[in-house]
């Protein structure tokens, strides 16, 4: 399957996750918003990238002593070192934030390597430090204990569940202040194009609402006059 193009990446940076959610709903996708995951810091540029995944299972004491981090093939460390630049590391922490999915050292390493973002349905330790980094980061809530107390990082770049959403390697994630949407890779180009048009229409609608126009017949555009007005508005504003 083709990788995310630079053109589509740039388009997705200009649209919101609510717009993407509506676009996907129109296509029959109802459950693509990662639940209970929020940005550590509001106001950062929109996060866009392909998913590179890490799956965790419940930790067991005989497999996960602190000394396990000395192994050079530990999946958590390997994922951090192998997540491709421009991709997003997505961690399945089983929606359990009682132990951290990582901390500021690992997230800093991802940032330095050019990774586009990191998402977990668990928590991060050192959350205030991660919030100050340039890389977008999303989690459920801050968490101090090491992941080893509850999570064993096991599989890299396999299908996972994150916040009740199926995430496949190569799916495209978009994150903003509202949260994170997952776009199936096969339809990402058409979703980007449709969201650009939807964003323009929403801008037009908001302008008309602020002028005092009723939303009935305007949003959604059930009145033929609305479509005509929108096309004329585009000519004035885009030419």
């Amino acid at each position: 399957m083709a990788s995310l193009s630079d053109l589509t990446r740039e388009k997705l940076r200009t649209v919101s996750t609510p717009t993407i959610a509506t676009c996907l709903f129109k296509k029959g996708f109802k459950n693509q918003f990662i639940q209970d995951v929020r940005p550590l810091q509001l106001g950062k540029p929109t996060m866009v990238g392909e998913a590179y995944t890490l799956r965790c299972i419940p930790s067991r004491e005989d497999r996960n002593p602190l000394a396990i981090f000395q192994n050079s093939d530990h999946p958590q460390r390997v994922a951090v070192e192998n997540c491709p630049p421009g991709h997003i590391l997505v961690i399945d922490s089983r929606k359990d934030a009682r132990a951290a999915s990582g901390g500021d050292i690992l997230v800093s390493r991802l940032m330095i390597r050019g990774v586009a973002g990191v998402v977990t349905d668990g928590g991060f330790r050192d959350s205030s430090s991660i919030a100050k980094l340039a890389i977008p980061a999303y989690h459920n809530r801050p968490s101090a204990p090491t992941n080893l107390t509850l999570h064993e990082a096991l599989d890299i770049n396999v299908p996972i569940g994150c916040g009740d959403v199926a995430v496949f390697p190569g799916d495209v994630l978009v994150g903003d202040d509202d949260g994170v949407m997952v776009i199936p890779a096969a339809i990402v180009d058409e979703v980007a194009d449709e969201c650009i048009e939807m964003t323009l229409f929403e801008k037009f609608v908001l302008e008309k609402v602020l002028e005092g126009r009723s939303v009935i017949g305007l949003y959604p555009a059930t009145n033929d006059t609305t479509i005509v007005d929108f096309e004329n508005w585009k000519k004035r504003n885009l030419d």
Side-chain angles (χ1 to χ4, degrees), residues 2-9 12 48-50 86 170 172-173 188-189:
S3 60
L4 177 65
S5 70
D6 291 340
L7 179 59
T8 295
R9 186 188 297 269
L12 290 173
V48 181
E50 294 166 279
V172 176
L173 274 67
V188 67
D189 292 334

Side-chain angles (χ1 to χ4, degrees), residues 20 25 45 49 59 83 95 130 143:
I20 294 170
F25 182 47
S59 175
C83 182
K95 301 192 297 179
I130 295 173
S143 184

Side-chain angles (χ1 to χ4, degrees), residues 86-237:
H87 284 56
I88 295 169
L89 181 60
V90 189
I91 306 171
D92 172 6
S93 290
R94 304 175 298 111
K95 301 192 297 179
D96 192 339
R98 292 177 298 158
S101 302
D104 59 354
I105 292 175
L106 297 185
V107 177
S108 293
R109 177 58 180 161
L110 290 168
M111 179 185 68
I112 292 299
R113 294 193 56 254
V115 171
V118 57
V119 178
T120 177
D121 59 2
F124 285 123
R125 65 200 307 186
D126 313 314
S127 58
S128 62
S129 295
I130 295 173
K132 297 173 185 176
L133 297 175
I135 184 172
Y138 293 77
H139 74 168
N140 180 288
R141 64 178 187 270
S143 184
T146 174
N147 65 312
L148 296 177
T149 60
L150 284 175
H151 308 302
E152 177 180 345
L154 190 67
D155 295 318
I156 298 173
N157 222 28
V158 298
I160 62 169
C162 186
D164 293 325
V165 178
V167 182
F168 290 79
D171 282 348
V172 176
L173 274 67
V174 179
D176 59 17
D177 286 354
D178 287 316
V180 181
M181 290 295 302
V182 180
I183 307 173
I187 61 171
V188 67
D189 292 334
E190 62 183 270
V191 167
D193 288 338
E194 291 180 25
C195 284
I196 291 291
E197 184 71 7
M198 289 174 63
T199 299
L200 283 173
F201 180 69
E202 289 166 359
K203 184 176 180 180
F204 158 77
V205 167
L206 183 58
E207 182 178 301
K208 295 307 174 185
V209 167
L210 292 174
E211 290 174 357
R213 187 162 164 178
S214 169
V215 296
I216 297 173
L218 175 67
Y219 188 71
T222 56
N223 189 319
D224 291 341
T225 303
T226 297
I227 302 300
V228 174
D229 290 347
F230 176 51
E231 292 302 321
N232 290 332
W233 180 90
K234 283 198 296 183
K235 290 177 182 178
R236 293 195 304 271
N237 288 274

